PDB file of all heavy atoms in Angstrom:
ATOM      1  N   LEU A 711      92.664 122.636 124.901  1.00  0.00           N
ATOM      2  CA  LEU A 711      91.212 122.498 124.770  1.00  0.00           C
ATOM      3  C   LEU A 711      90.669 123.074 123.581  1.00  0.00           C
ATOM      4  O   LEU A 711      89.786 122.435 122.783  1.00  0.00           O
ATOM      5  CB  LEU A 711      90.496 123.147 125.942  1.00  0.00           C
ATOM      6  CG  LEU A 711      88.996 123.076 126.090  1.00  0.00           C
ATOM      7  CD1 LEU A 711      88.520 121.729 126.001  1.00  0.00           C
ATOM      8  CD2 LEU A 711      88.523 123.875 127.277  1.00  0.00           C
ATOM      9  N   GLY A 712      91.171 124.243 123.117  1.00  0.00           N
ATOM     10  CA  GLY A 712      90.740 124.815 121.938  1.00  0.00           C
ATOM     11  C   GLY A 712      91.075 123.882 120.560  1.00  0.00           C
ATOM     12  O   GLY A 712      90.141 123.636 119.639  1.00  0.00           O
ATOM     13  N   PHE A 713      92.235 123.405 120.609  1.00  0.00           N
ATOM     14  CA  PHE A 713      92.593 122.499 119.468  1.00  0.00           C
ATOM     15  C   PHE A 713      91.911 121.176 119.505  1.00  0.00           C
ATOM     16  O   PHE A 713      91.428 120.707 118.438  1.00  0.00           O
ATOM     17  CB  PHE A 713      94.152 122.043 119.690  1.00  0.00           C
ATOM     18  CG  PHE A 713      95.062 123.130 119.087  1.00  0.00           C
ATOM     19  CD1 PHE A 713      96.193 123.545 119.738  1.00  0.00           C
ATOM     20  CD2 PHE A 713      94.845 123.762 117.782  1.00  0.00           C
ATOM     21  CE1 PHE A 713      97.118 124.424 119.361  1.00  0.00           C
ATOM     22  CE2 PHE A 713      95.680 124.728 117.376  1.00  0.00           C
ATOM     23  CZ  PHE A 713      96.796 125.023 118.122  1.00  0.00           C
ATOM     24  N   THR A 714      91.443 120.689 120.712  1.00  0.00           N
ATOM     25  CA  THR A 714      90.684 119.378 120.685  1.00  0.00           C
ATOM     26  C   THR A 714      89.216 119.658 120.207  1.00  0.00           C
ATOM     27  O   THR A 714      88.702 118.835 119.422  1.00  0.00           O
ATOM     28  CB  THR A 714      90.623 119.014 122.185  1.00  0.00           C
ATOM     29  OG1 THR A 714      91.937 118.707 122.670  1.00  0.00           O
ATOM     30  CG2 THR A 714      89.721 117.798 122.339  1.00  0.00           C
ATOM     31  N   ILE A 715      88.659 120.857 120.486  1.00  0.00           N
ATOM     32  CA  ILE A 715      87.293 121.123 120.041  1.00  0.00           C
ATOM     33  C   ILE A 715      87.302 121.336 118.550  1.00  0.00           C
ATOM     34  O   ILE A 715      86.455 120.851 117.884  1.00  0.00           O
ATOM     35  CB  ILE A 715      86.769 122.578 120.682  1.00  0.00           C
ATOM     36  CG1 ILE A 715      86.495 122.177 122.252  1.00  0.00           C
ATOM     37  CG2 ILE A 715      85.441 122.976 120.152  1.00  0.00           C
ATOM     38  CD1 ILE A 715      86.303 123.469 123.122  1.00  0.00           C
ATOM     39  N   ILE A 716      88.205 122.111 117.958  1.00  0.00           N
ATOM     40  CA  ILE A 716      88.314 122.421 116.586  1.00  0.00           C
ATOM     41  C   ILE A 716      88.570 120.993 115.773  1.00  0.00           C
ATOM     42  O   ILE A 716      87.998 120.840 114.756  1.00  0.00           O
ATOM     43  CB  ILE A 716      89.359 123.366 116.286  1.00  0.00           C
ATOM     44  CG1 ILE A 716      88.941 124.715 116.793  1.00  0.00           C
ATOM     45  CG2 ILE A 716      89.547 123.569 114.812  1.00  0.00           C
ATOM     46  CD1 ILE A 716      87.579 125.301 116.349  1.00  0.00           C
ATOM     47  N   THR A 717      89.422 120.224 116.497  1.00  0.00           N
ATOM     48  CA  THR A 717      89.832 118.945 115.649  1.00  0.00           C
ATOM     49  C   THR A 717      88.555 118.088 115.616  1.00  0.00           C
ATOM     50  O   THR A 717      88.235 117.387 114.639  1.00  0.00           O
ATOM     51  CB  THR A 717      90.878 118.238 116.469  1.00  0.00           C
ATOM     52  OG1 THR A 717      92.098 119.021 116.427  1.00  0.00           O
ATOM     53  CG2 THR A 717      91.128 116.791 115.898  1.00  0.00           C
ATOM     54  N   PHE A 718      87.791 118.060 116.714  1.00  0.00           N
ATOM     55  CA  PHE A 718      86.594 117.259 116.697  1.00  0.00           C
ATOM     56  C   PHE A 718      85.568 117.792 115.654  1.00  0.00           C
ATOM     57  O   PHE A 718      84.862 116.971 115.017  1.00  0.00           O
ATOM     58  CB  PHE A 718      85.895 117.275 118.231  1.00  0.00           C
ATOM     59  CG  PHE A 718      84.547 116.714 118.251  1.00  0.00           C
ATOM     60  CD1 PHE A 718      84.416 115.367 118.238  1.00  0.00           C
ATOM     61  CD2 PHE A 718      83.481 117.482 118.303  1.00  0.00           C
ATOM     62  CE1 PHE A 718      83.075 114.821 118.252  1.00  0.00           C
ATOM     63  CE2 PHE A 718      82.134 117.025 118.375  1.00  0.00           C
ATOM     64  CZ  PHE A 718      81.874 115.592 118.429  1.00  0.00           C
ATOM     65  N   LEU A 719      85.297 119.030 115.726  1.00  0.00           N
ATOM     66  CA  LEU A 719      84.425 119.678 114.701  1.00  0.00           C
ATOM     67  C   LEU A 719      84.790 119.558 113.271  1.00  0.00           C
ATOM     68  O   LEU A 719      83.964 119.236 112.388  1.00  0.00           O
ATOM     69  CB  LEU A 719      84.244 121.115 115.016  1.00  0.00           C
ATOM     70  CG  LEU A 719      83.531 121.473 116.422  1.00  0.00           C
ATOM     71  CD1 LEU A 719      83.475 122.988 116.631  1.00  0.00           C
ATOM     72  CD2 LEU A 719      82.153 121.062 116.378  1.00  0.00           C
ATOM     73  N   SER A 720      86.240 119.563 113.130  1.00  0.00           N
ATOM     74  CA  SER A 720      86.720 119.280 111.663  1.00  0.00           C
ATOM     75  C   SER A 720      86.418 117.859 111.309  1.00  0.00           C
ATOM     76  O   SER A 720      86.108 117.595 110.104  1.00  0.00           O
ATOM     77  CB  SER A 720      88.241 119.483 111.719  1.00  0.00           C
ATOM     78  OG  SER A 720      88.521 120.913 111.998  1.00  0.00           O
ATOM     79  N   ALA A 721      86.521 116.981 112.257  1.00  0.00           N
ATOM     80  CA  ALA A 721      86.269 115.417 111.977  1.00  0.00           C
ATOM     81  C   ALA A 721      84.853 115.341 111.479  1.00  0.00           C
ATOM     82  O   ALA A 721      84.587 114.438 110.659  1.00  0.00           O
ATOM     83  CB  ALA A 721      86.579 114.643 113.052  1.00  0.00           C
ATOM     84  N   ILE A 722      83.961 116.133 112.075  1.00  0.00           N
ATOM     85  CA  ILE A 722      82.452 115.928 111.710  1.00  0.00           C
ATOM     86  C   ILE A 722      82.247 116.221 110.246  1.00  0.00           C
ATOM     87  O   ILE A 722      81.387 115.595 109.695  1.00  0.00           O
ATOM     88  CB  ILE A 722      81.783 116.785 112.643  1.00  0.00           C
ATOM     89  CG1 ILE A 722      81.657 116.435 114.137  1.00  0.00           C
ATOM     90  CG2 ILE A 722      80.185 116.809 112.153  1.00  0.00           C
ATOM     91  CD1 ILE A 722      80.960 117.377 114.984  1.00  0.00           C
ATOM     92  N   THR A 723      82.984 116.992 109.697  1.00  0.00           N
ATOM     93  CA  THR A 723      82.793 117.453 108.341  1.00  0.00           C
ATOM     94  C   THR A 723      83.176 116.358 107.380  1.00  0.00           C
ATOM     95  O   THR A 723      82.859 116.452 106.144  1.00  0.00           O
ATOM     96  CB  THR A 723      83.620 118.789 107.900  1.00  0.00           C
ATOM     97  OG1 THR A 723      84.975 118.409 107.983  1.00  0.00           O
ATOM     98  CG2 THR A 723      83.320 119.852 108.951  1.00  0.00           C
ATOM     99  N   LEU A 724      83.854 115.358 107.908  1.00  0.00           N
ATOM    100  CA  LEU A 724      84.293 114.205 107.049  1.00  0.00           C
ATOM    101  C   LEU A 724      83.559 112.852 107.292  1.00  0.00           C
ATOM    102  O   LEU A 724      83.955 111.952 106.648  1.00  0.00           O
ATOM    103  CB  LEU A 724      85.779 113.958 107.271  1.00  0.00           C
ATOM    104  CG  LEU A 724      86.774 115.259 106.973  1.00  0.00           C
ATOM    105  CD1 LEU A 724      88.148 114.987 107.560  1.00  0.00           C
ATOM    106  CD2 LEU A 724      86.773 115.482 105.500  1.00  0.00           C
ATOM    107  N   ILE A 725      82.538 112.944 108.030  1.00  0.00           N
ATOM    108  CA  ILE A 725      81.867 111.690 108.339  1.00  0.00           C
ATOM    109  C   ILE A 725      81.337 110.928 107.074  1.00  0.00           C
ATOM    110  O   ILE A 725      80.556 111.559 106.243  1.00  0.00           O
ATOM    111  CB  ILE A 725      80.636 111.944 109.332  1.00  0.00           C
ATOM    112  CG1 ILE A 725      81.112 112.358 110.666  1.00  0.00           C
ATOM    113  CG2 ILE A 725      79.759 110.816 109.338  1.00  0.00           C
ATOM    114  CD1 ILE A 725      80.011 112.687 111.723  1.00  0.00           C
ATOM    115  N   GLY A 726      81.744 109.722 106.867  1.00  0.00           N
ATOM    116  CA  GLY A 726      81.427 108.919 105.749  1.00  0.00           C
ATOM    117  C   GLY A 726      82.161 109.188 104.456  1.00  0.00           C
ATOM    118  O   GLY A 726      82.095 108.428 103.633  1.00  0.00           O
ATOM    119  N   LEU A 727      82.920 110.393 104.350  1.00  0.00           N
ATOM    120  CA  LEU A 727      83.545 110.688 103.104  1.00  0.00           C
ATOM    121  C   LEU A 727      84.931 109.871 103.100  1.00  0.00           C
ATOM    122  O   LEU A 727      85.311 109.357 102.002  1.00  0.00           O
ATOM    123  CB  LEU A 727      83.866 112.208 103.124  1.00  0.00           C
ATOM    124  CG  LEU A 727      82.668 113.052 102.976  1.00  0.00           C
ATOM    125  CD1 LEU A 727      83.098 114.591 102.917  1.00  0.00           C
ATOM    126  CD2 LEU A 727      81.985 112.634 101.594  1.00  0.00           C
ATOM    127  N   LYS A 728      85.715 109.802 104.209  1.00  0.00           N
ATOM    128  CA  LYS A 728      87.060 109.039 104.051  1.00  0.00           C
ATOM    129  C   LYS A 728      86.891 107.683 103.728  1.00  0.00           C
ATOM    130  O   LYS A 728      87.578 107.128 102.895  1.00  0.00           O
ATOM    131  CB  LYS A 728      87.856 109.251 105.395  1.00  0.00           C
ATOM    132  CG  LYS A 728      88.199 110.719 105.566  1.00  0.00           C
ATOM    133  CD  LYS A 728      88.774 110.907 107.035  1.00  0.00           C
ATOM    134  CE  LYS A 728      90.155 110.227 107.182  1.00  0.00           C
ATOM    135  NZ  LYS A 728      90.752 110.507 108.481  1.00  0.00           N
ATOM    136  N   PRO A 729      85.969 106.951 104.352  1.00  0.00           N
ATOM    137  CA  PRO A 729      85.804 105.490 103.886  1.00  0.00           C
ATOM    138  C   PRO A 729      85.323 105.420 102.460  1.00  0.00           C
ATOM    139  O   PRO A 729      85.734 104.491 101.754  1.00  0.00           O
ATOM    140  CB  PRO A 729      84.750 105.028 104.906  1.00  0.00           C
ATOM    141  CG  PRO A 729      84.779 105.867 106.057  1.00  0.00           C
ATOM    142  CD  PRO A 729      85.111 107.205 105.545  1.00  0.00           C
ATOM    143  N   ALA A 730      84.426 106.351 101.966  1.00  0.00           N
ATOM    144  CA  ALA A 730      83.984 106.368 100.678  1.00  0.00           C
ATOM    145  C   ALA A 730      85.104 106.558  99.653  1.00  0.00           C
ATOM    146  O   ALA A 730      85.335 105.927  98.571  1.00  0.00           O
ATOM    147  CB  ALA A 730      82.971 107.357 100.452  1.00  0.00           C
ATOM    148  N   ILE A 731      86.062 107.575  99.957  1.00  0.00           N
ATOM    149  CA  ILE A 731      87.188 107.805  99.179  1.00  0.00           C
ATOM    150  C   ILE A 731      88.068 106.605  99.013  1.00  0.00           C
ATOM    151  O   ILE A 731      88.556 106.050  98.078  1.00  0.00           O
ATOM    152  CB  ILE A 731      88.012 109.045  99.590  1.00  0.00           C
ATOM    153  CG1 ILE A 731      87.092 110.358  99.421  1.00  0.00           C
ATOM    154  CG2 ILE A 731      89.291 109.180  98.852  1.00  0.00           C
ATOM    155  CD1 ILE A 731      87.708 111.522 100.135  1.00  0.00           C
ATOM    156  N   LEU A 732      88.382 105.937 100.195  1.00  0.00           N
ATOM    157  CA  LEU A 732      89.327 104.808 100.253  1.00  0.00           C
ATOM    158  C   LEU A 732      88.771 103.633  99.543  1.00  0.00           C
ATOM    159  O   LEU A 732      89.473 102.743  99.065  1.00  0.00           O
ATOM    160  CB  LEU A 732      89.677 104.569 101.691  1.00  0.00           C
ATOM    161  CG  LEU A 732      90.512 105.515 102.505  1.00  0.00           C
ATOM    162  CD1 LEU A 732      90.543 105.190 103.952  1.00  0.00           C
ATOM    163  CD2 LEU A 732      91.934 105.726 101.897  1.00  0.00           C
ATOM    164  N   ARG A 733      87.454 103.544  99.498  1.00  0.00           N
ATOM    165  CA  ARG A 733      86.775 102.380  98.753  1.00  0.00           C
ATOM    166  C   ARG A 733      86.654 102.635  97.398  1.00  0.00           C
ATOM    167  O   ARG A 733      87.080 101.789  96.538  1.00  0.00           O
ATOM    168  CB  ARG A 733      85.395 102.236  99.435  1.00  0.00           C
ATOM    169  CG  ARG A 733      84.603 101.065  98.670  1.00  0.00           C
ATOM    170  CD  ARG A 733      83.197 100.770  99.269  1.00  0.00           C
ATOM    171  NE  ARG A 733      82.532  99.885  98.548  1.00  0.00           N
ATOM    172  CZ  ARG A 733      81.270  99.489  98.851  1.00  0.00           C
ATOM    173  NH1 ARG A 733      80.612 100.075  99.832  1.00  0.00           N
ATOM    174  NH2 ARG A 733      80.723  98.519  98.186  1.00  0.00           N
ATOM    175  N   TYR A 734      86.183 103.859  96.943  1.00  0.00           N
ATOM    176  CA  TYR A 734      85.570 103.923  95.599  1.00  0.00           C
ATOM    177  C   TYR A 734      86.795 104.332  94.577  1.00  0.00           C
ATOM    178  O   TYR A 734      86.798 104.032  93.311  1.00  0.00           O
ATOM    179  CB  TYR A 734      84.539 104.911  95.389  1.00  0.00           C
ATOM    180  CG  TYR A 734      83.221 104.353  95.866  1.00  0.00           C
ATOM    181  CD1 TYR A 734      82.742 104.898  97.100  1.00  0.00           C
ATOM    182  CD2 TYR A 734      82.710 103.347  95.262  1.00  0.00           C
ATOM    183  CE1 TYR A 734      81.553 104.330  97.653  1.00  0.00           C
ATOM    184  CE2 TYR A 734      81.418 102.841  95.762  1.00  0.00           C
ATOM    185  CZ  TYR A 734      80.959 103.263  96.828  1.00  0.00           C
ATOM    186  OH  TYR A 734      79.731 102.760  97.312  1.00  0.00           O
ATOM    187  N   ILE A 735      87.922 105.062  95.119  1.00  0.00           N
ATOM    188  CA  ILE A 735      88.996 105.455  94.212  1.00  0.00           C
ATOM    189  C   ILE A 735      89.619 104.220  93.686  1.00  0.00           C
ATOM    190  O   ILE A 735      89.912 103.968  92.417  1.00  0.00           O
ATOM    191  CB  ILE A 735      89.983 106.466  94.859  1.00  0.00           C
ATOM    192  CG1 ILE A 735      89.332 107.790  94.990  1.00  0.00           C
ATOM    193  CG2 ILE A 735      91.283 106.376  94.141  1.00  0.00           C
ATOM    194  CD1 ILE A 735      90.264 108.877  95.601  1.00  0.00           C
ATOM    195  N   PRO A 736      90.121 103.189  94.648  1.00  0.00           N
ATOM    196  CA  PRO A 736      90.745 101.987  94.108  1.00  0.00           C
ATOM    197  C   PRO A 736      89.696 101.155  93.119  1.00  0.00           C
ATOM    198  O   PRO A 736      90.185 100.548  92.242  1.00  0.00           O
ATOM    199  CB  PRO A 736      91.023 101.231  95.359  1.00  0.00           C
ATOM    200  CG  PRO A 736      91.153 102.251  96.392  1.00  0.00           C
ATOM    201  CD  PRO A 736      90.148 103.207  96.009  1.00  0.00           C
ATOM    202  N   PHE A 737      88.442 101.155  93.545  1.00  0.00           N
ATOM    203  CA  PHE A 737      87.525 100.378  92.811  1.00  0.00           C
ATOM    204  C   PHE A 737      87.408 100.949  91.341  1.00  0.00           C
ATOM    205  O   PHE A 737      87.518 100.165  90.462  1.00  0.00           O
ATOM    206  CB  PHE A 737      86.107 100.501  93.529  1.00  0.00           C
ATOM    207  CG  PHE A 737      84.980  99.817  92.842  1.00  0.00           C
ATOM    208  CD1 PHE A 737      84.920  98.471  92.707  1.00  0.00           C
ATOM    209  CD2 PHE A 737      84.092 100.579  92.067  1.00  0.00           C
ATOM    210  CE1 PHE A 737      83.882  97.797  92.084  1.00  0.00           C
ATOM    211  CE2 PHE A 737      83.111  99.945  91.330  1.00  0.00           C
ATOM    212  CZ  PHE A 737      83.030  98.511  91.320  1.00  0.00           C
ATOM    213  N   TYR A 738      87.266 102.289  91.213  1.00  0.00           N
ATOM    214  CA  TYR A 738      87.139 102.849  89.839  1.00  0.00           C
ATOM    215  C   TYR A 738      88.545 102.901  89.116  1.00  0.00           C
ATOM    216  O   TYR A 738      88.466 102.772  87.856  1.00  0.00           O
ATOM    217  CB  TYR A 738      86.595 104.382  89.910  1.00  0.00           C
ATOM    218  CG  TYR A 738      85.154 104.435  90.359  1.00  0.00           C
ATOM    219  CD1 TYR A 738      84.691 105.216  91.415  1.00  0.00           C
ATOM    220  CD2 TYR A 738      84.147 103.529  89.819  1.00  0.00           C
ATOM    221  CE1 TYR A 738      83.391 105.259  91.812  1.00  0.00           C
ATOM    222  CE2 TYR A 738      82.857 103.534  90.184  1.00  0.00           C
ATOM    223  CZ  TYR A 738      82.440 104.426  91.124  1.00  0.00           C
ATOM    224  OH  TYR A 738      81.187 104.509  91.646  1.00  0.00           O
ATOM    225  N   MET A 739      89.537 102.966  89.839  1.00  0.00           N
ATOM    226  CA  MET A 739      90.793 102.860  89.206  1.00  0.00           C
ATOM    227  C   MET A 739      90.990 101.537  88.560  1.00  0.00           C
ATOM    228  O   MET A 739      91.620 101.298  87.427  1.00  0.00           O
ATOM    229  CB  MET A 739      91.990 103.179  90.067  1.00  0.00           C
ATOM    230  CG  MET A 739      92.143 104.663  90.419  1.00  0.00           C
ATOM    231  SD  MET A 739      92.574 105.716  89.037  1.00  0.00           S
ATOM    232  CE  MET A 739      94.268 105.063  88.687  1.00  0.00           C
ATOM    233  N   GLY A 740      90.578 100.538  89.302  1.00  0.00           N
ATOM    234  CA  GLY A 740      90.787  99.065  88.786  1.00  0.00           C
ATOM    235  C   GLY A 740      89.894  98.903  87.572  1.00  0.00           C
ATOM    236  O   GLY A 740      90.186  97.967  86.680  1.00  0.00           O
ATOM    237  N   LYS A 741      88.870  99.721  87.280  1.00  0.00           N
ATOM    238  CA  LYS A 741      88.061  99.606  86.136  1.00  0.00           C
ATOM    239  C   LYS A 741      88.422 100.725  85.086  1.00  0.00           C
ATOM    240  O   LYS A 741      87.744 100.835  84.059  1.00  0.00           O
ATOM    241  CB  LYS A 741      86.493  99.851  86.523  1.00  0.00           C
ATOM    242  CG  LYS A 741      85.881  98.764  87.384  1.00  0.00           C
ATOM    243  CD  LYS A 741      84.543  99.118  87.692  1.00  0.00           C
ATOM    244  CE  LYS A 741      83.861  97.919  88.425  1.00  0.00           C
ATOM    245  NZ  LYS A 741      83.682  96.736  87.515  1.00  0.00           N
ATOM    246  N   ASN A 742      89.451 101.396  85.386  1.00  0.00           N
ATOM    247  CA  ASN A 742      89.989 102.447  84.494  1.00  0.00           C
ATOM    248  C   ASN A 742      88.883 103.621  84.212  1.00  0.00           C
ATOM    249  O   ASN A 742      88.819 104.125  83.268  1.00  0.00           O
ATOM    250  CB  ASN A 742      90.470 101.982  83.229  1.00  0.00           C
ATOM    251  CG  ASN A 742      91.734 101.028  83.386  1.00  0.00           C
ATOM    252  OD1 ASN A 742      92.609 101.426  84.224  1.00  0.00           O
ATOM    253  ND2 ASN A 742      91.843 100.008  82.630  1.00  0.00           N
TER     254      ASN A 742
END
């Protein structure tokens, strides 16, 4: 239960960031 709660709260800190990283890093690398 403790791990589940902490994992959930940790995921909240990343809302929107992971998709942005996966989108923009390849995009900007393609443009050098």
Side-chain angles (χ1 to χ4, degrees):
L711 179 58
F713 280 134
T714 301
I715 293 170
I716 294 301
T717 299
F718 172 75
L719 293 174
S720 299
I722 292 175
T723 68
L724 300 171
I725 289 178
L727 292 178
K728 290 174 69 175
I731 291 171
L732 292 173
R733 176 183 178 184
Y734 287 111
I735 285 181
F737 177 75
Y738 290 133
M739 283 297 293
K741 292 179 175 295
N742 293 323

